[in-house]
Amino acid sequence: ESAAHRRRLKMPATAKVSRVALVVAMQEEAKPLVERLGLTKRADALDGAPAIVYDGEHGGGYVAVVTPGLDAASGLNLIGTDAAALTTFLAVRALAPDLLITAGTCGGFKRQGGRVGDAYCVTSFQHHDRRIAIPGYDALGVAKRDAHKTPAMVAALGFKTGACSTGNSLDMSPEDDDRLKDAVAKDMEAAAVAWAADLAGGVPLVGIKVVTDIVDGDKPTQEEFLENLHTAAESLQATIPKVLDFVLHRDLTDL
């Protein structure tokens, strides 16, 4: 039975990691990584979605980098939760990874000791912009989910750790700020990836995020993000192969 079939039936995944899929929001983030890993663009799309899949062999295992693709009207990256959720669900069903990684850039926080270039291994995912003041629906809006635990990898590779909070706006409103007090990273996709990974059968999810901008800093977020995007993409290019070398062929309980 395939891993995808096991997940559809809610059966346990294989213990050893041999197939890894990375969901990356932007082509600018993915391109250096794809080149570093020597992956090849697949001709077949994910069930008609605009997603782009690059895959190949790394360290004796299967690795895929998946992006949501480009908006047909503007030609821009399909960033945000909608495209991330759709892409993740289809990628898990089509590629049957043993481990899923949401990888990319994020905003960091001065109040949490964050600096541009810091690399975080995410411990949990949640939304900060879904404010629903109705009992039960308030928790549904936040939708907090734990990441797969990776204490050995964190110790071996020296990651910072903490919660990642997701919203569909680049700025931070006062209401958002109140809900981001405990987060070390702010992005636009990770919590949606976590929801879709659960929906597709509960594939274990790890988050690797590199800081491009300081959300509570002095520079306008959009300027700092664009200024540091290339540097952060290069950091991912250096970091992700180390992550792959660590997780491939290792038991999921030993990460």
Side-chain angles (χ1 to χ4, degrees):
E1 295 170 325
S2 70
H5 180 65
R6 288 195 302 274
R7 291 194 186 97
R8 282 194 288 271
L9 298 179
K10 302 294 183 180
M11 294 170 65
T14 53
K16 299 284 185 183
V17 177
S18 63
R19 299 176 65 84
V20 180
L22 298 102
V23 179
V24 182
M26 301 179 71
Q27 293 297 310
E28 293 87 346
E29 297 168 315
K31 184 179 178 182
L33 180 59
V34 167
E35 292 175 350
R36 172 70 178 271
L37 295 174
L39 305 181
T40 303
K41 184 177 180 179
R42 285 177 58 153
D44 54 326
L46 296 181
D47 288 350
I52 302 170
V53 178
Y54 306 89
D55 65 357
E57 185 272 341
H58 177 84
Y62 171 82
V63 174
V65 172
V66 185
T67 73
L70 304 176
D71 176 63
S74 67
L76 298 174
N77 292 291
L78 285 166
I79 59 175
T81 56
D82 293 346
L86 174 64
T87 301
T88 300
F89 183 83
L90 294 176
V92 170
R93 287 298 180 98
L95 306 177
D98 302 308
L99 182 69
L100 189 67
I101 300 175
T102 171
T105 59
C106 70
F109 294 89
K110 181 171 59 178
R111 63 191 177 216
Q112 297 283 7
R115 297 173 298 179
V116 171
D118 280 350
Y120 285 100
C121 183
V122 175
T123 54
S124 64
F125 310 96
Q126 65 188 50
H127 294 270
H128 57 260
D129 64 347
R130 304 199 311 190
R131 296 177 289 275
I132 310 170
I134 301 173
Y137 286 94
D138 49 359
L140 178 68
V142 174
K144 183 174 181 179
R145 286 177 170 83
D146 289 332
H148 186 74
K149 290 180 172 55
T150 57
M153 185 179 74
V154 168
L157 301 184
F159 284 114
K160 289 187 169 185
T161 60
C164 180
S165 192
T166 296
N168 276 307
S169 296
L170 191 62
D171 65 0
M172 180 175 68
S173 70
E175 292 83 0
D176 291 341
D177 190 18
D178 186 59
R179 290 166 172 262
L180 284 160
K181 295 299 185 186
D182 297 325
V184 300
K186 173 182 177 288
D187 85 335
M188 298 177 70
E189 290 87 20
V193 172
W195 174 77
D198 269 358
L199 187 67
V203 61
L205 175 64
V206 171
I208 303 296
K209 293 289 179 177
V210 176
V211 175
T212 52
D213 56 276
I214 302 302
V215 181
D216 55 350
D218 300 324
K219 291 185 178 180
T221 296
Q222 64 274 20
E223 293 179 11
E224 195 171 18
F225 171 78
L226 292 172
E227 179 182 323
N228 295 311
L229 177 58
H230 179 71
T231 301
E234 289 184 338
S235 178
L236 279 175
Q237 176 188 1
T239 301
I240 294 300
K242 296 176 184 177
V243 171
L244 293 172
D245 290 342
F246 188 90
V247 302
L248 282 168
H249 313 299
R250 192 179 291 258
D251 196 288
L252 281 165
T253 61
D254 294 332
L255 301 185

